[in-house]
Amino acid sequence: MTDRTTYVSLAGVRGRGWTDAMVRDLLGTPDVQGRDPRRWSLAPVRLYLLARVETVERTPEFAETAALCRARASVSGVHAERRRAAVLSAIRAEPIEVPRLPRPELERRAVRHRHLLGVRSPGPRREGAPPPEAPAPAGALVRWQVSYLRHALSRYEALLDGLYGESGRGEAERLLRQRLYEAIAAAYPALARECRRRIAVEER
């Protein structure tokens, strides 16, 4: 027989398979609300008599509600999986159109984009004049070009619409990044090494 002074927290009730809606509809107001009588704590708690929880769990209403919640969760999971599969298929099939620019123009845009992000290359300054452009550090210009082109392709992130949470979205984001970098590498072979590096780093 259950001790009538044994309480279970909301987390404990959830651990027994209850949803918040089931707690609200079948248990109602907590038996203790506010301070935990079992130990001193400033955090407010909601506690339910374990005996009352067990009594409700033996009722037909509990069995019917639990079955309905499981069915809803199953349907929701099916819809989420279908959406995930559809998004992944769309990402794989979508043609990626990378802007084709002459090398000097791409470099100019990459440097400008870098500066718009708030990063300026150091250089000598004449009194009363803005600081002139300094040569980019070795390898930096390649990284800047890839960053600029990646930004130019950000419209493809709309393919991720409708995916929420970690399940499915992370996989779709990785696939999209890979496809974008592969498209940049195909359009600009000189940037392929940096694209491969980014794919490897961002996959971690």
Side-chain angles (χ1 to χ4, degrees):
M1 186 173 182
T2 301
D3 185 348
R4 303 298 297 183
T5 62
T6 300
Y7 292 92
V8 60
S9 66
L10 178 59
V13 174
R14 289 171 177 157
R16 298 172 69 91
W18 292 64
T19 66
D20 288 353
M22 291 168 65
V23 172
R24 182 190 66 240
D25 297 339
L26 300 179
L27 284 179
T29 304
D31 297 291
V32 174
Q33 191 165 247
R35 187 181 64 82
D36 188 339
R38 299 168 297 181
R39 56 186 172 281
W40 183 88
S41 174
L42 292 176
V45 295
R46 287 185 285 173
L47 300 174
Y48 302 85
L49 278 169
L50 179 57
R52 185 162 74 89
V53 172
E54 292 176 338
T55 298
V56 174
E57 288 176 344
R58 291 191 290 268
T59 64
E61 290 79 10
F62 177 84
E64 292 171 4
T65 304
L68 181 60
C69 287
R70 287 193 295 269
R72 286 175 177 168
S74 177
V75 170
S76 177
V78 169
H79 287 319
E81 175 57 27
R82 286 177 179 171
R83 177 60 184 163
R84 183 192 71 85
V87 169
L88 291 175
S89 295
I91 291 173
R92 292 188 184 101
E94 184 72 14
I96 307 296
E97 299 180 3
V98 180
R100 302 290 184 130
L101 302 169
R103 179 177 176 180
E105 176 64 13
L106 176 58
E107 291 178 354
R108 186 189 69 79
R109 293 191 185 191
V111 171
R112 182 172 182 272
H113 179 252
R114 179 72 172 179
H115 290 171
L116 288 175
L117 295 177
V119 181
R120 298 193 64 87
S121 301
R125 179 172 181 172
R126 299 188 305 273
E127 186 175 350
E133 299 291 346
L141 193 53
V142 169
R143 295 193 298 272
W144 298 354
Q145 290 175 76
V146 173
S147 294
Y148 166 75
L149 291 168
R150 177 65 183 82
H151 173 75
L153 299 176
S154 59
R155 65 185 181 278
Y156 289 100
E157 292 174 5
L159 292 168
L160 300 171
D161 290 351
L163 285 181
Y164 304 99
E166 294 183 4
S167 178
R169 187 174 179 93
E171 180 183 2
E173 288 176 342
R174 288 190 295 273
L175 177 60
L176 179 60
R177 284 196 302 266
Q178 180 178 340
R179 287 221 57 213
L180 295 179
Y181 285 131
E182 288 175 348
I184 293 171
Y188 298 92
L191 306 180
R193 182 176 180 180
E194 172 63 12
C195 290
R196 289 194 298 269
R197 184 192 70 81
R198 294 195 182 201
I199 291 173
V201 169
E202 294 180 14
E203 284 296 308
R204 294 175 185 172

